[in-house]
């Protein structure tokens, strides 16, 4: 009886951690900034990172379709063994939501095909130490993408070379370690990152990395995602797979514990 109970408990736990790894959470985040002009319309970003071997759920994307101004892939779209056809299918699905922007992760160059060519053919905008600037409400917004920190390819100053000084600045970098390199005069309002998987497997709230979430460093909001896929084993515990629909509005800085307005889940 005891052994049977232990086996049953193990199978239940295994099913649970498999489910956490394959869930499709869209975390709806509202971030307010005092220097985001109140005459601007809200700016909404769908952020997904660390897809790795997963297929992005079409049902999940239905929840964000028509709501996002742009899609940002925060690196590790692929890894060794991920076929080109899967990468193409994922970016095509994401492109149906909004224009897609990509920053490189530490696993993306493990594939045995030319990922850069795939991006060009699929009309994905790759930001490696450069920025995309556009008008939003009559004022420039800059999405700044930098290379991977662990490969010593990140160069924020180079990425900022042609960014207007009065722009609202969003920095996308695969690894949240980029935060240590920020300087006040760079005026970065928001950092989007992944890489850590939130520890992926956490025991009693303890993991190899911090669980994803929002933190403030001075006037900069740093949003680190648990990521959508997994690495090593297709399992998660205490750090479920997630994506983010981020809406930026004017106002007082959003408290760290109040940024999530609601959460949608599609299985």
């Amino acid at each position: 009886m005891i052994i049977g109970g232990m086996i049953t408990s193990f199978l239940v736990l295994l099913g649970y951690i498999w489910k956490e790894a394959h869930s499709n959470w869209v975390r709806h985040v509202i971030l307010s900034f005092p220097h985001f002009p109140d005459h601007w319309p809200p700016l909404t970003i769908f952020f997904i990172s660390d897809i790795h071997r997963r297929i992005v759920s079409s049902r999940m994307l239905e929840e964000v379709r028509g709501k996002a101004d742009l899609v940002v892939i925060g690196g590790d779209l692929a890894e060794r063994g991920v076929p080109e056809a899967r990468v193409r299918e994922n970016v095509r699905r994401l492109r149906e939501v909004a224009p897609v922007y990509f920053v490189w992760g530490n696993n993306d160059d493990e594939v045995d095909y030319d990922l850069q060519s795939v991006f060009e053919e699929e009309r994905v905008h790759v930001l490696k130490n450069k920025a995309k600037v556009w008008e939003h409400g009559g004022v420039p917004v800059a999405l700044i993408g930098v290379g991977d920190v662990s490969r010593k390819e990140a160069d924020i100053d180079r990425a900022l070379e042609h960014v207007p000084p009065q722009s609202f600045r969003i920095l996308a970098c695969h690894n949240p370690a980029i935060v240590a390199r920020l300087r006040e005069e760079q005026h970065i309002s928001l950092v989007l990152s992944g890489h850590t998987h939130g520890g992926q497997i956490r025991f009693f709230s303890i993991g190899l990395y911090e669980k994803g979430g929002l933190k403030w460093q001075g006037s900069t909001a740093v949003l680190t995602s648990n990521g959508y896929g997994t690495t090593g084993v297709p399992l998660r515990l205490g750090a479920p797979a997630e994506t983010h629909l981020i809406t930026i509005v004017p106002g007082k800085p959003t408290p760290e514990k109040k940024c999530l307005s609601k959460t949608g889940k599609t299985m």
Side-chain angles (χ1 to χ4, degrees):
M1 292 291 292
I2 295 176
I3 294 176
M6 292 175 63
I7 293 174
T8 300
S9 297
F10 173 76
L11 292 175
V12 169
L13 175 61
L14 187 63
Y16 175 77
I17 60 180
W18 187 92
K19 184 178 179 180
E20 282 214 322
H22 295 83
S23 62
N24 290 289
W25 291 103
V26 179
R27 301 200 183 276
H28 292 238
V29 179
I30 297 177
L31 291 176
S32 55
F33 297 88
H35 52 286
F36 191 84
D38 55 14
H39 64 275
W40 289 14
L43 174 65
T44 304
I45 301 168
F46 180 62
F47 179 57
I48 183 169
S49 71
D50 301 279
I51 297 172
H52 289 284
R53 295 179 174 272
R54 288 192 72 179
I55 297 287
V56 179
S57 166
S58 294
R59 289 183 62 191
M60 178 186 71
L61 294 181
E62 284 299 321
E63 183 178 341
V64 300
R65 197 183 310 276
K67 299 177 182 178
D69 297 298
L70 65 154
V71 174
V72 176
I73 303 174
D76 282 3
L77 168 63
E79 63 176 33
R80 182 178 291 107
V82 174
E84 180 180 335
R86 186 179 305 170
V87 171
R88 289 184 183 273
E89 179 61 24
N90 279 336
V91 297
R92 286 171 183 172
R93 292 185 182 191
L94 291 168
R95 209 178 63 232
E96 290 178 359
V97 173
V100 176
Y101 296 84
F102 171 85
V103 292
W104 292 92
N106 57 298
N107 294 123
D108 288 307
D109 62 0
E110 294 176 353
V111 297
D112 58 3
Y113 45 89
D114 187 352
L115 196 55
Q116 179 66 42
S117 294
V118 172
F119 290 145
E120 292 173 1
E121 293 168 10
E122 298 298 337
R123 304 193 302 280
V124 174
H125 307 279
V126 179
L127 300 179
K128 186 174 182 179
N129 299 324
K130 65 178 183 179
K132 170 66 176 179
V133 181
W134 70 96
E135 294 288 319
H136 184 79
V139 181
V141 171
L143 176 62
I144 303 145
V146 295
D148 182 54
V149 173
S150 64
R151 296 180 181 274
K152 300 181 179 180
E153 296 175 342
D155 190 337
I156 301 175
D157 290 331
R158 179 181 170 191
L160 287 170
E161 282 180 356
H162 303 293
V163 174
Q166 73 276 23
S167 60
F168 183 85
R169 300 179 178 190
I170 302 164
L171 176 68
C173 180
H174 178 62
N175 193 323
I178 193 67
V179 173
R181 303 189 187 186
L182 297 183
R183 303 192 306 275
E184 186 176 349
E185 63 268 22
Q186 292 167 335
H187 300 294
I188 304 297
S189 296
L190 172 62
V191 175
L192 301 175
S193 63
H195 179 62
T196 66
H197 295 206
Q200 190 165 314
I201 303 290
R202 309 183 64 83
F203 295 98
F204 304 104
S205 300
I206 299 172
L208 291 175
Y209 297 97
E210 278 188 289
K211 191 174 180 179
L214 174 72
K215 288 189 172 184
W216 285 88
Q217 179 170 299
S219 59
T220 302
V222 181
L223 182 64
T224 304
S225 174
N226 289 337
Y228 186 68
T230 58
T231 189
V233 294
L235 302 171
R236 283 179 175 269
L237 180 63
E242 64 183 6
T243 64
H244 293 81
L245 187 67
I246 304 161
T247 301
I248 299 171
V249 298
K252 295 181 180 180
T254 306
E256 294 178 8
K257 295 183 179 180
K258 294 184 179 180
C259 71
L260 300 182
S261 59
K262 66 175 180 176
T263 302
K265 184 180 183 182
T266 305
M267 296 304 297

